[in-house]
Amino acid sequence: EDKVVQSPLSLVVHEGDTVTLNCSYEVTNFRSLLWYKQEKKAPTFLFMLTSSGIEKKSGRLSSILDKKELFSILNITATQTGDSAVYLCAVDVQGAQKLVFGQGTRLTINP
Amino acid sequence: GAVVSQHPSRVICKSGTSVKIECRSLDFQATTMFWYRQFPKQSLMLMATSNEGSKATYEQGVEKDKFLINHASLTLSTLTVTSAHPEDSSFYICSASVIGTDTQYFGPGTRLTVL
C-alpha cells in the first residue's frame, strides 16, 4: 500500500527560528513529490520535486528530495507568524493518477 | 493562471437531502479532476478521480452511488452527495490537473454541514 508519513505532526517555534519538516514515502511507482501549505481552506502549491539532490527555493522556503532514502525535507528560515499553517506532503504515483497525502505537519509560529 | 473555483463555499442541509458541489477550472482545461474529503485536523483523503467524458474512478471505501461524480466538460466536474447524513459533514475539495502536467491545482473547498 502506498504510504506517505510526515514528521513531526505538530511543531511550535518562535518567530525567526528555522524549521525543517520531514516527509518519507513508500510508493509503488514514484513520479513526483509535492509540498502544499494549507491555512484555513484548500492547500496552496509550494513545490514539486522530481529529481534527487536538486534544491528548489522560493524566498525563505526550500525543499529537497532524496530518492535513494525516499524522503524530502521542507525548510523554512526566519519564520514569521504568517508561516503558521498545516504543511502537506503528497506523492504523485505514476500510473495510479492520484496523489497520496501525508498526515500533515501543523506548524505554529509564536511572536 | 490555473485557478479552480468551487461552488458553493458553504452549505448546510437537512439529513436526507442531496447536495451538489461544482468544481470549475477557470482559465485552463482539465482532463482530470479529483475530489477529496478532509475531516477536521486530518489530511486530505482522495475520494475519486474524474476524467472528462468517462466514469469516475472511486477509491476503496467510497460509495459511488452515494457520491455521484459527473465530469461533463473540460472545465466542470460536479460531486453530488445523495441522501446526506450528519456523518457526511466534511470539507470537500476538488483539484484539477492542467493538461500535459502533473501538478494539481486545488479549489477553495466546500464545507458541508448536514443537520
Coordinates of all heavy atoms in Angstrom, one line a residue, chain B residues 67-105:
Chain B
F67 N -21.9 9.2 -3.7 CA -21.2 10.3 -4.1 C -21.1 10.3 -5.6 O -20.2 9.6 -6.2 CB -19.8 10.3 -3.5 CG -19.8 10.4 -2.0 CD1 -19.6 9.3 -1.2 CD2 -20.0 11.6 -1.4 CE1 -19.6 9.4 0.2 CE2 -20.0 11.7 0.0 CZ -19.8 10.6 0.8
L68 N -22.0 10.9 -6.3 CA -22.1 10.9 -7.7 C -21.2 12.0 -8.3 O -21.3 13.1 -8.0 CB -23.6 11.1 -8.2 CG -24.6 10.1 -7.6 CD1 -26.0 10.5 -8.1 CD2 -24.3 8.7 -8.0
I69 N -20.4 11.5 -9.2 CA -19.5 12.5 -9.9 C -19.8 12.5 -11.4 O -19.9 11.5 -12.0 CB -18.0 12.1 -9.6 CG1 -17.7 12.3 -8.1 CG2 -17.1 12.9 -10.5 CD1 -16.4 11.8 -7.7
N70 N -19.9 13.7 -11.9 CA -20.1 14.0 -13.3 C -19.0 14.9 -13.8 O -18.8 16.0 -13.2 CB -21.5 14.5 -13.5 CG -21.8 14.7 -15.0 OD1 -21.3 15.6 -15.7 ND2 -22.6 13.8 -15.5
H71 N -18.4 14.6 -14.9 CA -17.3 15.4 -15.4 C -17.7 15.7 -16.9 O -17.2 15.0 -17.8 CB -16.0 14.7 -15.3 CG -14.8 15.6 -15.6 ND1 -13.5 15.3 -15.2 CD2 -14.7 16.8 -16.3 CE1 -12.7 16.2 -15.5 NE2 -13.4 17.1 -16.2
A72 N -18.6 16.6 -17.0 CA -19.3 16.8 -18.3 C -18.5 17.5 -19.3 O -18.7 17.4 -20.5 CB -20.6 17.6 -18.1
S73 N -17.5 18.4 -18.9 CA -16.7 19.1 -19.8 C -15.3 19.3 -19.3 O -15.0 18.8 -18.2 CB -17.3 20.5 -20.0 OG -17.1 21.3 -18.9
L74 N -14.4 19.9 -20.1 CA -13.0 20.0 -19.6 C -12.9 21.1 -18.6 O -11.7 21.3 -18.1 CB -12.2 20.4 -20.9 CG -11.9 19.2 -21.8 CD1 -11.2 19.7 -23.1 CD2 -11.0 18.1 -21.1
T75 N -13.9 21.8 -18.2 CA -13.8 22.8 -17.2 C -14.8 22.6 -16.0 O -14.8 23.4 -15.1 CB -14.0 24.2 -17.8 OG1 -15.3 24.2 -18.4 CG2 -13.0 24.5 -18.8
L76 N -15.6 21.5 -16.0 CA -16.6 21.4 -15.0 C -16.7 20.0 -14.5 O -16.9 19.0 -15.3 CB -17.9 21.9 -15.5 CG -19.1 21.7 -14.5 CD1 -19.0 22.5 -13.2 CD2 -20.4 22.1 -15.2
S77 N -16.6 19.8 -13.2 CA -17.0 18.5 -12.6 C -17.9 18.8 -11.4 O -17.8 19.8 -10.8 CB -15.7 17.8 -12.1 OG -16.0 16.6 -11.4
T78 N -18.8 17.9 -11.2 CA -19.8 18.0 -10.1 C -19.7 16.8 -9.2 O -19.6 15.7 -9.7 CB -21.2 18.3 -10.6 OG1 -21.6 17.2 -11.3 CG2 -21.3 19.6 -11.4
L79 N -19.9 17.1 -7.9 CA -20.0 16.0 -6.9 C -21.4 16.2 -6.2 O -21.6 17.2 -5.7 CB -18.9 16.1 -5.9 CG -19.1 15.3 -4.6 CD1 -18.9 13.8 -4.9 CD2 -18.0 15.7 -3.5
T80 N -22.2 15.1 -6.3 CA -23.5 15.2 -5.6 C -23.5 14.2 -4.5 O -23.2 13.0 -4.7 CB -24.6 14.8 -6.6 OG1 -24.6 15.8 -7.7 CG2 -26.0 14.9 -5.9
V81 N -23.7 14.7 -3.3 CA -23.8 13.9 -2.1 C -25.3 13.6 -2.0 O -26.1 14.4 -1.7 CB -23.3 14.6 -0.9 CG1 -23.3 13.7 0.4 CG2 -21.9 15.1 -1.1
T82 N -25.6 12.3 -2.2 CA -27.1 11.9 -2.2 C -27.5 11.5 -0.8 O -26.7 10.9 -0.1 CB -27.4 10.8 -3.2 OG1 -26.6 9.7 -2.8 CG2 -27.0 11.2 -4.6
S83 N -28.7 11.8 -0.5 CA -29.2 11.4 0.8 C -28.2 11.6 1.9 O -27.8 10.7 2.6 CB -29.7 9.9 0.8 OG -30.4 9.6 2.0
A84 N -27.8 12.9 2.1 CA -26.7 13.2 3.0 C -27.1 12.9 4.5 O -28.3 13.1 4.8 CB -26.4 14.7 2.8
H85 N -26.1 12.5 5.2 CA -26.3 12.2 6.7 C -25.3 13.0 7.4 O -24.3 13.5 6.9 CB -26.2 10.7 6.9 CG -27.3 10.0 6.4 ND1 -28.6 10.0 7.0 CD2 -27.4 9.1 5.3 CE1 -29.4 9.2 6.3 NE2 -28.7 8.7 5.3
P86 N -25.5 13.2 8.7 CA -24.6 14.0 9.5 C -23.1 13.6 9.4 O -22.2 14.4 9.4 CB -25.1 13.9 10.9 CG -26.6 13.7 10.8 CD -26.7 12.9 9.5
E87 N -22.9 12.3 9.2 CA -21.5 11.8 9.1 C -20.9 12.2 7.8 O -19.6 12.0 7.6 CB -21.4 10.3 9.3 CG -22.3 9.5 8.3 CD -23.7 9.1 8.9 OE1 -24.2 9.9 9.7 OE2 -24.2 8.1 8.5
D88 N -21.6 12.7 6.8 CA -21.1 13.2 5.6 C -20.6 14.6 5.7 O -20.0 15.2 4.8 CB -22.1 13.2 4.5 CG -22.6 11.8 4.2 OD1 -21.8 10.8 4.2 OD2 -23.8 11.6 3.9
S89 N -20.9 15.2 6.9 CA -20.4 16.6 7.1 C -18.8 16.6 7.0 O -18.2 15.8 7.7 CB -20.8 17.1 8.5 OG -22.2 17.2 8.6
S90 N -18.3 17.5 6.2 CA -16.9 17.5 6.0 C -16.5 18.6 5.1 O -17.4 19.4 4.7 CB -16.5 16.1 5.3 OG -15.1 16.0 5.2
F91 N -15.2 18.7 4.8 CA -14.7 19.8 3.9 C -14.4 19.0 2.6 O -13.6 18.1 2.6 CB -13.5 20.4 4.5 CG -13.0 21.6 3.8 CD1 -13.9 22.7 3.5 CD2 -11.7 21.8 3.5 CE1 -13.4 23.8 2.9 CE2 -11.2 22.9 2.9 CZ -12.1 24.0 2.6
Y92 N -15.1 19.4 1.5 CA -14.9 18.7 0.2 C -14.0 19.6 -0.7 O -14.4 20.8 -0.9 CB -16.2 18.4 -0.4 CG -16.9 17.3 0.4 CD1 -17.8 17.6 1.4 CD2 -16.8 15.9 0.0 CE1 -18.4 16.6 2.1 CE2 -17.5 14.9 0.7 CZ -18.3 15.3 1.8 OH -18.9 14.3 2.5
I93 N -13.0 19.1 -1.2 CA -12.1 19.9 -2.0 C -11.9 19.2 -3.4 O -11.7 18.0 -3.4 CB -10.7 20.0 -1.3 CG1 -10.8 20.6 0.1 CG2 -9.7 20.9 -2.2 CD1 -9.5 20.7 0.8
C94 N -11.9 20.0 -4.4 CA -11.6 19.4 -5.7 C -10.3 20.0 -6.2 O -9.8 21.0 -5.7 CB -12.7 19.8 -6.7 SG -12.7 21.4 -7.3
S95 N -9.7 19.3 -7.1 CA -8.5 19.8 -7.7 C -8.5 19.4 -9.2 O -9.3 18.5 -9.6 CB -7.2 19.2 -7.1 OG -7.1 17.9 -7.4
A96 N -7.7 20.1 -10.0 CA -7.7 19.8 -11.4 C -6.3 19.8 -11.9 O -5.4 20.6 -11.4 CB -8.5 20.9 -12.2
S97 N -6.0 18.9 -12.9 CA -4.7 18.9 -13.5 C -4.7 19.6 -14.8 O -5.6 19.4 -15.6 CB -4.3 17.5 -13.8 OG -3.9 16.8 -12.6
V98 N -3.7 20.4 -15.0 CA -3.5 21.1 -16.3 C -3.1 20.0 -17.3 O -2.2 19.2 -17.0 CB -2.4 22.2 -16.2 CG1 -2.2 22.8 -17.6 CG2 -2.8 23.2 -15.2
I99 N -3.7 20.0 -18.5 CA -3.4 19.0 -19.5 C -1.9 19.0 -19.8 O -1.3 20.1 -20.0 CB -4.1 19.3 -20.8 CG1 -5.6 19.1 -20.6 CG2 -3.6 18.5 -21.9 CD1 -6.5 19.5 -21.8
G100 N -1.2 17.8 -19.7 CA 0.2 17.7 -20.0 C 1.1 18.0 -18.8 O 2.3 17.9 -19.0
T101 N 0.6 18.3 -17.6 CA 1.4 18.4 -16.5 C 0.9 17.5 -15.3 O -0.3 17.0 -15.4 CB 1.4 19.9 -15.9 OG1 0.2 20.2 -15.3 CG2 1.6 20.9 -17.1
D102 N 1.7 17.4 -14.3 CA 1.3 16.6 -13.2 C 0.7 17.4 -12.0 O 0.2 16.8 -11.1 CB 2.5 15.8 -12.6 CG 3.0 14.8 -13.7 OD1 2.2 14.4 -14.5 OD2 4.2 14.6 -13.7
T103 N 0.9 18.7 -12.0 CA 0.5 19.5 -10.9 C -1.0 19.6 -10.8 O -1.7 19.9 -11.8 CB 1.1 20.9 -11.1 OG1 2.5 20.8 -11.3 CG2 0.9 21.7 -9.8
Q104 N -1.5 19.4 -9.6 CA -2.9 19.6 -9.3 C -3.1 21.0 -8.6 O -2.3 21.4 -7.7 CB -3.4 18.5 -8.3 CG -3.5 17.2 -8.9 CD -4.1 16.1 -8.0 OE1 -4.9 16.5 -7.1 NE2 -3.7 14.9 -8.2
Y105 N -4.1 21.7 -9.1 CA -4.5 23.0 -8.5 C -5.8 22.8 -7.8 O -6.7 22.2 -8.4 CB -4.6 24.0 -9.6 CG -3.2 24.3 -10.2 CD1 -2.8 23.6 -11.3 CD2 -2.3 25.2 -9.6 CE1 -1.5 23.8 -11.9 CE2 -1.1 25.5 -10.2 CZ -0.7 24.7 -11.3 OH 0.6 25.0 -11.8

